[in-house]
Amino acid sequence: MEIQLKVARAGNYNISYRQAGEGKQTILLLHGIPTNSFLWIHVIQQLSQTYTVIAPDLVGYGASDRAGHDDLTLPMQANHVISLLDALGLDSVHVVGHDLGGGVAQILAVNFPQRIDSFIVIDGVAFSNWPLPKVVSLRFPTAPEFEPSLYFIEKMLREGLFHQQSLTPELLNAFLQPFNHPDGPKELTEASLALNHHQTEDIVPQLPKVNKPATFLYGQYDRYLPPYWGMRLKETVPNSTFKVLPECSHYSMLDNPLLVTQEIMEHMTRASV
């Protein structure tokens, strides 16, 4: 299935996105920091055989427009996603979010339930478990290893993988290239400055009221956001499902894209009942 790279004007920003498939139901895939929509490249190929799949580069990432940190918070990213859905003429979608995208998925489910058919959080931020010390270090680097740089991005990716061979040269280049220019370090710092755990913690009282099908998937060896947080989400969101993905770390969709795809497909089956 061909994956098309497109751009849409969504509110004040141009948002780049990947699209594939022609299914009646649409799945929206959201990445986190410091990646972009290429994170889902293997998953898109499988899901698009059954569904329409859209994977945007969030504002501030990938090929989408850059912005100051005030416009890169998770609630603002949720607003940008809604603007993108409006621009594409989509009334509602199934949302799958990784890392920061998992926090955006929760905010969408709470604040825009009419636009969300169901949601999945994969190795996602939740409650007050973020931002990661590694990401906070970008704001006030105390050593060269914490400086916002391509080396920092590569190190973060490698430390978040169970299978190191999963980070192919093609994948690594796709994640490094958007920040490989003179303003790249500043853009990475702005992304870090946007993050505050209150952005998900403040919606926790509303999570027990969410009535959308929900699935929480966490890598067995996720050293950034351990599976404990998926269990906490399962205990908080009614009628939800929680699974630990074996031999996966933080970037589960790179460690085992087939397994992640199968879990998304199972969720879609449950959500359609």
Side-chain angles (χ1 to χ4, degrees):
M1 185 68 68
E2 180 186 5
I3 300 176
Q4 297 178 304
L5 189 59
K6 300 182 177 183
V7 178
R9 187 68 179 177
N12 297 323
Y13 298 102
N14 291 317
I15 294 182
S16 176
Y17 64 98
R18 288 177 163 81
Q19 181 172 337
E22 298 178 347
K24 292 183 179 179
Q25 298 186 81
T26 300
I27 299 176
L28 185 75
L29 303 173
L30 303 178
H31 65 84
I33 188 172
T35 63
N36 55 63
S37 61
F38 202 80
L39 178 75
W40 303 101
I41 197 69
H42 302 309
V43 174
I44 294 172
Q45 292 170 346
Q46 298 297 320
L47 291 179
S48 61
Q49 297 178 24
T50 306
Y51 306 99
T52 297
V53 183
I54 295 174
D57 291 340
L58 296 176
V59 174
Y61 299 87
S64 290
D65 282 351
R66 297 307 192 247
H69 59 267
D70 287 343
D71 259 6
L72 301 180
T73 66
L74 269 57
M76 287 304 298
Q77 295 286 11
N79 290 339
H80 302 326
V81 167
I82 294 301
S83 295
L84 177 63
L85 298 185
D86 290 342
L88 300 182
L90 295 170
D91 293 329
S92 63
V93 294
H94 299 270
V95 178
V96 182
H98 173 255
D99 190 77
L100 299 186
V104 175
Q106 295 167 59
I107 292 170
L108 289 168
V110 168
N111 293 340
F112 301 95
Q114 70 280 10
R115 308 300 297 271
I116 305 303
D117 296 319
S118 72
F119 70 105
I120 301 175
V121 174
I122 304 179
D123 303 304
V125 303
F127 303 100
S128 61
N129 71 355
W130 67 289
L132 302 175
K134 181 179 292 291
V135 175
V136 174
S137 72
L138 290 169
R139 305 173 189 177
F140 309 103
T142 56
E145 66 180 288
F146 301 129
E147 294 281 350
S149 64
L150 300 184
Y151 169 74
F152 179 95
I153 295 173
E154 180 174 353
K155 192 167 184 287
M156 186 171 182
L157 291 167
R158 292 197 182 282
E159 291 179 357
L161 283 169
F162 181 78
H163 298 291
Q164 288 297 307
Q165 67 271 24
S166 299
L167 190 61
T168 63
E170 181 187 24
L171 278 167
L172 182 58
N173 181 68
F175 299 140
L176 296 183
Q177 189 275 332
F179 293 104
N180 189 16
H181 57 90
D183 287 334
K186 179 183 177 182
E187 293 170 357
L188 198 55
T189 301
E190 286 294 307
S192 172
L193 288 169
L195 308 180
N196 185 303
H197 67 84
H198 286 292
Q199 295 165 22
T200 51
E201 193 170 22
D202 288 350
I203 65 167
V204 170
Q206 303 303 316
L207 290 178
K209 303 174 185 177
V210 172
N211 63 353
K212 302 292 182 178
T215 297
F216 309 116
L217 307 173
Y218 281 72
Q220 179 183 9
Y221 298 106
D222 189 339
R223 64 173 69 185
Y224 295 147
L225 300 169
Y228 165 80
W229 296 107
M231 182 182 68
R232 284 283 309 277
L233 283 168
K234 168 70 171 65
E235 293 171 347
T236 306
V237 178
N239 303 314
S240 58
T241 299
F242 163 58
K243 290 187 179 181
V244 176
L245 303 179
E247 296 192 359
C248 290
S249 185
H250 184 64
Y251 299 98
S252 298
M253 65 294 300
L254 301 183
D255 275 323
N256 195 334
L258 181 58
L259 175 60
V260 169
T261 301
Q262 289 173 340
E263 293 295 343
I264 294 174
M265 296 284 281
E266 286 187 20
H267 166 90
M268 292 295 293
T269 299
R270 291 192 298 269
S272 300
V273 174

